[in-house]
Amino acid sequence: MALPGSLGEMPRQFPRLSVSEVDEQVRLLAEKVFAKVLREEDSKDAFSLFTVPEDCPIGQKEAKERELEKELAEQNSAETVKRKKSFKMIRSQSLSLQIPSLDWKAPAVTPILSPVSPVPPPPATIRGPGPSVQEAYDVPEFQRMTISGDYCAGITLDDYEQAANGLSKALLIREKYSRLAYHRFPRTTSQYLCTMNDESWKMEDEVFPELNPPPDKDTYELENVPANLNYVVKLRGGIPHIYDNNEKAEKHEPRSFPYPDLETYTLDLSHILALITDGPTKTYCHRRLNFLQSKFKLHEMLNEMSELKELKSVPHRDFYNVRKVDTHIHAAACMNQKHLLRFIKHSYRTEPDKVVTEKNGKKMTLKELFESLYMDPYDLTVDSLDVHAGRQTFHRFDKFNAKYNPVGASELRDLYLKTDNYIDGEYFARIVKEVAGELEESKYQYSEPRLSIYGRSSKEWDVLAKWFIKHRVYSPHMRFMIQVPRIFDIFRTKKILPDFGKMLENIFLPLFEATINPSDHKELYLFMNYVTGFDSVDDESKHNDHMFSNKSPAPEEWTQEQNPPYSYYLFYMYANVMLLNNLRK
């Protein structure tokens, strides 16, 4: 998520595509692919015992002979020779991107030297295909390999060209959506894509996310927030539109932002669906990955001792004092099982008479809660706590979720691992702060715990932000991700939500309001500075019969109890995050 900055920069517009005959064919192909996958899902279990493996020798000899004859005929044709020459030129241009030019200078980086560090050695020489280039940084003397040839793909020229076109289109689609949302896109890939279109890559064209530096003073200062902008936000078709005032909102004259186009998005999605089932592309990618793996293994064989020598020569760095970030960890599981057990026993021993919950209108102390569960914390062990996800949870999402209930009791989960409970998430905050303290003590470990927003109510964000500030959960070694479970079907079945649009409104509208009017939402505005992004979570093994397209129902029209497909969730989540980043920029 981008952070607030200058509003002077005007965002770009979302590029809309016109549907051609080729695009319509791709869309039809994507629909066939989707239908085929559904059929395979239905018949997979029934026929899995009788499936013939791909490496079955029956018929392979004839197929290989036909493929060899086709390749020989192709290589001898004049058209192939001409195309090979063009590929050779493209390959030489690609290599030129990897090899520094003679007038290239390494960026000036001031090394951080310890008081006992030796004087840095003189710069090494990079050996390339041309003259030696003296550089301003050390390069180990590795043995290098060169694979010569026209295109080195191991497949026919037609297949190679088809795979290259498909993959380059996929990369262009990825770059487009990354740039629009102010997400980082790999620089090397961007340079290659520019050479395809005969464009020159410029440093100023690179898009960086806005990073929030650590606070200089009190992290929880609520007074010095920016003034309100008083814009108006309204969701139309699941997508927020920002207006200068109510009058503009009535006339539907939104501010200039790159509002996403559903038809363009579904067309790009169709291209990706068609690409992942394309035979030549799958063959090329499989061969390419095997080639890169073999190349790396060969590099290890040749240069293992050189790398080990270089590793040992680096001062004050080993596995334990190199910085490490855990980017996928649930906040409710950020502690180890022994830590959780120790905390439960300590809280029971020191605060047995503290009122911690209310059941059927009756307030219960911690001691009474454990008595109602017929258990004594003194007798609890790591094994009886049963919160460790082992092999038995693999491919079993139900068992994985059950592991969040200590001793199988949901009451203990609500008390110790929730932010919204009778004690306002005090125990959970204390556990997270203890884990953060351990990270700070180790100095070189960081984490990005996930906190849940369900979309049941628009008050969820305020509760979470107040929990963060009240219990002072901030740590310089932590940033937070927000995970959104895909459980609209459960909320709809229980009549909690009228439609999917209401769920989107509960998840994203408070963020827009806090960005536009921070003085009215001080806690949430401050908390958003430490949120890095969103994650869509649920059981990925479940498939959905609905294929997302521009003919799919709008979010406010999705009132059935069936859950929307994964791609439906992701489009509306991306659209909201992209517009939020542009607004905050």
Side-chain angles (χ1 to χ4, degrees):
M1 186 193 298
L3 301 171
S6 169
L7 288 173
E9 179 184 345
M10 191 56 69
R12 296 146 293 175
Q13 295 301 312
F14 193 93
R16 285 171 168 73
L17 301 179
S18 57
V19 182
S20 63
E21 292 183 8
V22 176
D23 293 330
E24 191 59 37
Q25 291 174 3
V26 169
R27 180 177 288 167
L28 292 173
L29 176 60
E31 291 176 1
K32 290 179 182 177
V33 168
F34 187 80
K36 182 183 176 185
V37 169
L38 287 181
R39 286 198 303 271
E40 289 175 353
E41 285 285 345
D42 294 336
S43 60
K44 184 167 59 176
D45 295 333
F47 294 101
S48 58
L49 294 173
F50 310 102
T51 304
V52 180
E54 291 183 0
D55 55 354
C56 179
I58 302 172
Q60 278 194 356
K61 186 176 179 182
E62 292 84 352
K64 285 185 177 179
E65 286 177 355
R66 286 196 299 271
E67 190 175 335
L68 186 60
E69 288 174 5
K70 179 184 174 185
E71 190 171 345
L72 287 172
E74 217 178 60
Q75 287 178 357
N76 295 330
S77 66
E79 180 65 24
T80 301
V81 173
K82 184 178 177 182
R83 285 160 69 194
K84 276 187 178 182
K85 286 181 180 178
S86 67
F87 276 124
K88 201 167 185 179
M89 279 177 81
I90 294 171
R91 182 172 169 77
S92 64
Q93 291 173 359
S94 299
L95 286 171
S96 68
L97 286 173
Q98 301 175 21
I99 302 162
S101 60
L102 290 172
D103 57 350
W104 183 85
K105 293 182 179 179
V109 178
T110 305
I112 301 173
L113 301 176
S114 65
V116 294
S117 298
V119 177
T125 300
I126 297 179
R127 295 190 188 345
S132 298
V133 183
Q134 197 77 4
E135 300 298 348
Y137 57 90
D138 297 330
V139 176
E141 289 292 336
F142 286 154
Q143 299 181 69
R144 289 175 171 80
M145 302 149 286
T146 301
I147 310 296
S148 60
D150 294 329
Y151 56 97
C152 311
I155 58 176
T156 63
L157 201 61
D158 283 336
D159 288 354
Y160 178 60
E161 192 170 10
Q162 184 175 338
N165 286 334
L167 290 170
S168 60
K169 185 173 181 61
L171 287 171
L172 287 168
I173 290 173
R174 173 70 174 177
E175 184 182 32
K176 175 178 69 175
Y177 286 98
S178 295
R179 284 178 174 277
L180 285 168
Y182 288 101
H183 292 162
R184 192 186 299 274
F185 188 78
R187 179 182 297 182
T188 306
T189 311
S190 184
Q191 290 174 340
Y192 276 101
L193 294 176
C194 281
T195 59
M196 285 173 40
N197 300 325
D198 295 326
E199 298 173 357
S200 58
W201 183 86
K202 300 173 185 175
M203 180 74 77
E204 55 267 23
D205 293 338
E206 193 164 12
V207 174
F208 293 102
E210 295 285 329
L211 301 177
N212 187 40
D216 296 328
K217 45 183 181 178
D218 186 9
T219 310
Y220 310 98
E221 176 62 49
L222 295 176
E223 300 307 319
N224 298 323
V225 298
N228 291 346
L229 297 173
N230 296 317
Y231 295 158
V232 177
V233 183
K234 290 190 177 180
L235 261 70
R236 294 175 180 268
I239 296 171
H241 289 71
I242 300 102
Y243 306 91
D244 287 331
N245 48 49
N246 285 315
E247 186 181 343
K248 293 283 184 75
E250 291 174 3
K251 296 179 181 178
H252 189 45
E253 297 177 359
R255 290 178 63 86
S256 179
F257 285 113
Y259 297 100
D261 180 56
L262 179 58
E263 188 170 15
T264 300
Y265 182 90
T266 54
L267 189 58
D268 289 335
L269 179 62
S270 297
H271 279 287
I272 300 299
L273 284 172
L275 178 67
I276 61 177
T277 58
D278 182 56
T281 304
K282 291 198 289 187
T283 301
Y284 171 72
C285 291
H286 177 70
R287 287 176 175 269
R288 176 71 178 168
L289 290 172
N290 283 336
F291 162 70
L292 291 174
Q293 186 179 29
S294 303
K295 190 177 178 183
F296 179 71
K297 286 181 178 178
L298 187 56
H299 163 75
E300 280 187 315
M301 291 172 60
L302 294 173
N303 301 303
E304 183 180 7
M305 298 309 296
S306 299
E307 286 208 347
L308 191 60
K309 181 181 176 183
E310 183 196 5
L311 191 66
K312 289 180 177 179
S313 67
V314 179
H316 191 64
R317 278 291 175 268
D318 55 28
F319 175 78
Y320 295 98
N321 59 13
V322 68
R323 282 171 175 79
K324 300 170 284 290
V325 184
D326 191 336
T327 57
H328 191 164
I329 180 169
H330 298 262
C334 65
M335 75 301 291
N336 58 49
Q337 49 189 346
K338 183 65 177 174
H339 185 165
L340 179 60
L341 177 63
R342 189 169 62 244
F343 185 89
I344 291 174
K345 289 186 173 183
H346 176 77
S347 63
Y348 183 81
R349 189 171 59 251
T350 57
E351 303 171 324
D353 299 323
K354 179 175 181 175
V355 178
V356 294
T357 188
E358 187 174 355
K359 197 172 185 180
N360 298 326
K362 179 187 175 183
K363 294 179 181 179
M364 299 177 68
T365 63
L366 186 59
K367 184 177 181 180
E368 291 171 341
L369 175 63
F370 275 100
E371 288 174 352
S372 69
L373 297 173
Y374 304 102
M375 65 175 69
D376 184 353
Y378 179 80
D379 298 328
L380 290 178
T381 64
V382 166
D383 295 327
S384 62
L385 201 62
D386 194 27
V387 291
H388 182 65
R391 285 178 296 179
Q392 68 272 19
T393 60
F394 188 64
H395 281 183
R396 287 296 302 273
F397 199 73
D398 53 339
K399 288 188 175 182
F400 174 78
N401 271 338
K403 291 292 182 179
Y404 283 94
N405 296 325
V407 207
S410 60
E411 294 89 346
L412 295 183
R413 178 180 184 176
D414 292 338
L415 176 60
Y416 287 104
L417 303 176
K418 292 285 187 179
T419 60
D420 185 16
N421 52 29
Y422 186 83
I423 58 175
D424 296 328
E426 178 188 342
Y427 285 164
F428 184 40
R430 281 163 55 180
I431 295 174
V432 172
K433 287 166 71 175
E434 287 178 8
V435 172
E438 293 173 0
L439 295 177
E440 292 170 26
E441 188 178 343
S442 69
K443 188 179 177 181
Y444 298 101
Q445 296 182 44
Y446 300 80
S447 72
E448 198 175 46
R450 281 156 161 72
L451 297 167
S452 294
I453 289 290
Y454 297 93
R456 289 173 300 196
S457 165
S458 59
K459 302 293 184 184
E460 290 180 49
W461 279 108
D462 290 330
V463 170
L464 186 59
K466 287 175 182 175
W467 169 82
F468 176 82
I469 292 172
K470 178 181 178 180
H471 301 293
R472 306 177 78 86
V473 184
Y474 169 77
S475 167
H477 285 242
M478 277 188 177
R479 291 292 185 271
F480 293 94
M481 286 276 285
I482 300 299
Q483 62 178 22
V484 181
R486 298 190 297 277
I487 52 176
F488 168 76
D489 52 338
I490 296 175
F491 295 150
R492 185 72 189 102
T493 303
K494 294 181 177 181
K495 310 297 182 185
I496 297 174
L497 294 173
D499 53 65
F500 187 73
K502 188 63 178 175
M503 183 177 180
L504 288 173
E505 183 180 316
N506 292 338
I507 294 170
F508 290 105
L509 198 58
L511 302 180
F512 283 88
E513 291 174 347
T515 300
I516 291 169
N517 299 320
S519 296
D520 297 340
H521 308 274
K522 294 180 179 180
E523 293 91 351
L524 182 52
Y525 172 81
L526 188 145
F527 176 61
M528 286 173 71
N529 289 330
Y530 307 108
V531 174
T532 56
F534 286 83
D535 187 16
S536 178
V537 296
D538 196 30
D539 184 0
E540 278 80 16
S541 66
K542 295 190 295 188
H543 69 275
N544 195 293
D545 296 337
H546 179 88
M547 181 179 174
F548 181 41
S549 69
N550 59 335
K551 299 175 184 176
S552 298
E556 58 270 17
E557 297 171 357
W558 193 287
T559 56
Q560 62 261 44
E561 295 180 357
Q562 181 188 8
N563 209 25
Y566 195 3
S567 51
Y568 191 95
Y569 270 96
L570 288 189
F571 169 70
Y572 288 104
M573 286 185 69
Y574 169 81
N576 279 268
V577 170
M578 180 193 71
L579 286 166
L580 183 63
N581 278 355
N582 278 271
L583 175 65
R584 292 174 71 82
K585 179 73 174 178

